[in-house]
Amino acid sequence: MINLLTSSLNQAGEQVYLGLFNADSASCAQVVREADQKEIPVWGLRCRGRWDWRAVHDLANFLKINQIDVLHTHGYKANIYGFLAARLAGCKIVATCHNWTKRTSALQKYAALDQLFLRWFDTVIAVSQGIVTELRHNKVRRIRMIANGIDVAKYQASGNHSGHNQPLVIGCLSRLSKEKGVDVLLWALPRILDQYPSLHCFVAGEGPERAHLEALAVKLGVANSFHMPGFCDDTADFLKLCTVAVQPSRMEAMPLAILEAMAAGKAIVASAVGEIPRLLEDGHAGLLVPPDSPEKLADAVLTLLKDEALRQSVERRAAQKAAAQFDVATMTAEYQKVYRTVASSHHHQRNLAHADRMDMKA
């Protein structure tokens, strides 16, 4: 999402820098590679340990030297460092809140600290109504909701290759973590394979649950049909080979994987959590199932595999909705409105300060 937004802003004529903590680390490699391809300047912020006051000063100096009007942060660490640096530099700050997983006690504490800092941001963007509600509960006031966007044309251009002569494939784009529910898909797989033994399931992504999922696939006897190829560089290319896209999450906000599958014209089965019911129009643009329900997940997948007319209907509706509501151009225009609003107040304050100094000299 960050790469897509920076690229789209750049194309719209905005001057954009992409700042990354420790940009030369392996975890940043994919983001840096995509930014380089789009000719987005990347600035690496060296951060030495969990807390590094020098990094705050380095960021503040970067903001001053480059005369940054608005700093846009994503994630609790960027939010906290960014807020302190923006205040030192005298520039405005905007954050996008994607979700707080709160998987561990440490993450719960970070989320609470993040939400405390967000009370003083100039604008906080929520990607879902659920996040809006949580922010308001935590006394954050300057909130705007902007849905995630995707490059719809890219997914439409990839085409739908799941025809009669193509092998049946279940596809899942997901981080391999507990809240994403990939284990639920695994528990559903034996029931699906009973009726479609030649079917294969691919989960593209990485995460801490890989070893557990590999062991579970062996335990369930589906290891030959279940594949985890790792992080996916080209999700459009991955999706074009899928017959059905599955998102079995236990919790979500506004999942990009669902938007990508919709734009690719895929039949979708997903958990009814977060914004997913609204995205899939309560079943009209994809089938919804309760989270943590392998039996119902299997039944929904089997329904789509058996009923071609239904599958084509939800594919069409999903593609139409993605094109109409979630294209990157729509998202970018909304962010530009936010930037201009907070930047105009910044320029107004600078002009007042300049006028005050001139009065004092006079």
Side-chain angles (χ1 to χ4, degrees), residues 17-25 28 32 41-48 55 58-59 62:
Y17 296 90
L18 177 58
L20 299 171
F21 288 108
N22 302 322
D24 56 352
S25 66
C28 291
V32 172
V42 175
W43 181 69
L45 177 60
R46 177 63 58 190
C47 191
R48 309 156 187 88
D58 290 344
L59 178 55
F62 178 87

Side-chain angles (χ1 to χ4, degrees), residues 251-359:
M251 62 176 295
E252 283 288 359
M254 171 72 77
L256 282 173
I258 292 287
L259 296 179
E260 290 168 346
M262 291 171 66
K266 292 299 164 180
I268 302 166
V269 175
S271 302
V273 296
E275 291 291 298
I276 294 177
R278 185 174 70 85
L279 293 177
L280 299 185
E281 299 180 342
D282 292 318
H284 294 292
L287 302 190
L288 297 166
V289 297
D292 268 315
S293 181
E295 297 83 6
K296 291 186 178 180
L297 180 63
D299 288 344
V301 171
L302 289 170
T303 296
L304 289 175
L305 292 177
K306 293 175 181 177
D307 191 337
E308 186 174 357
L310 173 62
R311 190 167 75 243
Q312 291 178 349
S313 173
V314 296
E315 287 172 349
R316 283 194 300 271
R317 182 60 193 147
Q320 290 167 357
K321 182 167 185 177
Q325 298 183 24
F326 299 110
D327 188 67
V328 62
T330 301
M331 176 183 71
T332 302
E334 291 300 308
Y335 273 107
Q336 285 181 294
K337 290 177 185 176
V338 171
Y339 298 151
R340 288 181 183 129
T341 298
V342 298
S344 64
S345 65
H346 181 211
H347 294 148
H348 178 65
Q349 289 169 359
R350 285 201 302 197
N351 290 338
L352 287 177
H354 178 70
D356 288 341
R357 288 195 298 270
M358 296 299 292
D359 287 343

Side-chain angles (χ1 to χ4, degrees), residues 35-283:
D36 287 343
Q37 291 171 354
K38 300 292 185 179
E39 299 183 344
I40 303 296
V42 175
W43 181 69
L45 177 60
R46 177 63 58 190
C47 191
R48 309 156 187 88
R50 185 171 296 176
W51 174 250
D52 185 355
W53 184 248
R54 288 174 296 179
V56 174
H57 280 282
D58 290 344
L59 178 55
N61 288 335
F62 178 87
L63 298 174
K64 289 177 184 177
I65 291 169
N66 291 280
Q67 298 183 325
I68 302 299
D69 293 303
V70 180
L71 175 63
H72 184 177
T73 55
H74 300 256
Y76 72 87
K77 185 173 181 179
N79 292 346
I80 295 169
Y81 277 72
F83 175 80
L84 297 172
R87 289 299 175 257
L88 287 173
C91 79
K92 296 296 184 178
I93 185 164
V94 171
T96 294
C97 295
H98 300 274
N99 211 347
W100 299 275
T101 60
K102 301 181 182 179
R103 292 189 305 270
T104 65
S105 60
L107 288 175
Q108 291 170 15
K109 292 175 183 176
Y110 290 142
L113 183 62
D114 186 24
Q115 291 164 355
L116 178 64
F117 270 82
L118 290 172
R119 295 177 187 179
W120 290 282
F121 273 55
D122 297 294
T123 300
V124 178
I125 307 299
V127 301
S128 72
Q129 188 58 50
I131 292 177
V132 170
T133 300
E134 185 166 0
L135 288 169
R136 286 177 177 161
H137 176 74
N138 285 280
K139 297 182 173 58
V140 179
R141 292 293 175 258
R142 291 182 287 272
I143 306 169
R144 284 278 302 273
M145 182 175 163
I146 299 178
N148 285 333
I150 56 170
D151 186 353
V152 171
K154 173 183 174 182
Y155 291 88
Q156 290 178 334
S158 69
N160 193 330
H161 292 254
S162 55
H164 291 290
N165 298 323
Q166 295 293 321
L168 296 179
V169 174
I170 295 174
C172 178
L173 289 163
S174 177
R175 174 173 162 77
L176 306 181
S177 55
K178 189 70 175 176
E179 74 274 8
K180 293 296 186 179
V182 178
D183 58 313
V184 180
L185 173 57
L186 256 177
W187 281 105
L189 200 52
R191 188 168 180 174
I192 299 169
L193 290 171
D194 281 345
Q195 298 192 40
Y196 293 93
S198 63
L199 175 143
H200 285 267
C201 177
F202 289 85
V203 179
E206 273 300 344
E209 288 286 295
R210 172 175 281 277
H212 168 69
L213 294 169
E214 289 172 341
L216 182 58
V218 173
K219 175 183 175 181
L220 295 174
V222 298
N224 290 333
S225 301
F226 181 75
H227 315 280
M228 293 185 292
F231 185 81
C232 180
D233 287 339
D234 190 338
T235 54
D237 194 51
F238 174 83
L239 284 167
K240 74 180 181 182
L241 301 175
C242 301
T243 315
V244 176
V246 174
Q247 198 72 24
S249 304
R250 293 182 169 91
M251 62 176 295
E252 283 288 359
M254 171 72 77
L256 282 173
I258 292 287
L259 296 179
E260 290 168 346
M262 291 171 66
K266 292 299 164 180
I268 302 166
V269 175
S271 302
V273 296
E275 291 291 298
I276 294 177
R278 185 174 70 85
L279 293 177
L280 299 185
E281 299 180 342
D282 292 318

